[in-house]
Amino acid sequence: LNTASAEGFLPDVKLPVLGLYPDAGPITDAEQERLLRERLADFRIAYLPTRYHMAHMIHPATCARHVLEFIGAHDGIAVTET
């Protein structure tokens, strides 16, 4: 199996979605990102400074900050730097 597609399910996703992607590398291409932006009701991409797909292992604090900001934006709780 070289490909898989969840395209048909994307419109059924009703919750906010955060994608944490490397800013370089072959994880997704522009067409895949366009599809996610068009088909998901509430989608945000955060690019991380790496070309590797294990970005959460390389930049855990950056990932955590993006997740906290994303959650805060959806539940009304502001995240402040400390």
Side-chain angles (χ1 to χ4, degrees), residues 9-76:
F9 298 103
L10 295 178
D12 295 331
V13 177
K14 305 301 181 202
L15 299 173
V17 176
L18 172 64
L20 298 172
Y21 296 135
D23 62 2
I27 302 304
T28 60
D29 61 27
E31 177 62 20
Q32 291 166 328
E33 290 181 14
R34 182 195 60 75
L35 182 67
L36 292 170
R37 290 182 195 279
E38 289 178 359
R39 303 285 168 86
L40 290 170
D42 188 353
F43 179 63
R44 186 172 121 200
I45 294 177
Y47 294 101
L48 303 167
T50 183
R51 64 184 193 101
Y52 301 105
H53 73 280
M54 298 292 285
H56 62 287
M57 301 294 286
I58 300 167
H59 298 288
T62 302
C63 287
R65 182 176 49 80
H66 282 293
V67 170
L68 288 172
E69 289 173 358
F70 181 76
I71 292 169
H74 289 87
D75 71 6

